Amino acid sequence: MHALARLVGALAITAGVTLLTYGGAKIANATEASAAPSHNPEPEAFVAVGAGMLVGGLLAIVLFGARKPTQGD
């Protein structure tokens, strides 16, 4: 269970950082000033989803991936 939580957390963190980077780059390169409607999502959506996945992955690792302390005699 701990290994699965760490794997899911690491994948979520990786995807979150990727989406944050991509959304930030799209915002910084705002050369698409056309008023024509497009089917592409807004760059802010990538940043929001990336931040959510990053926080979710960190929480998964902290809450479920940490090992329980061993009780010594």
Side-chain angles (χ1 to χ4, degrees), residues 4-20 46-61:
L4 179 63
R6 287 186 187 138
L7 176 66
V8 169
L11 290 174
I13 289 170
T14 303
V17 169
T18 303
L19 288 173
L20 274 171
F46 286 109
V47 173
V49 171
M53 291 184 77
L54 182 64
V55 170
L58 288 172
L59 283 174
I61 290 174

Side-chain angles (χ1 to χ4, degrees), residues 1-71:
M1 180 69 180
H2 297 292
L4 179 63
R6 287 186 187 138
L7 176 66
V8 169
L11 290 174
I13 289 170
T14 303
V17 169
T18 303
L19 288 173
L20 274 171
T21 305
Y22 180 73
K26 291 287 280 184
I27 290 172
N29 296 332
T31 58
E32 191 177 3
S34 65
S38 66
H39 297 288
N40 296 331
E42 297 294 322
E44 292 85 7
F46 286 109
V47 173
V49 171
M53 291 184 77
L54 182 64
V55 170
L58 288 172
L59 283 174
I61 290 174
V62 169
L63 294 177
F64 303 112
R67 295 204 184 269
K68 295 181 182 177
T70 57
Q71 296 184 1

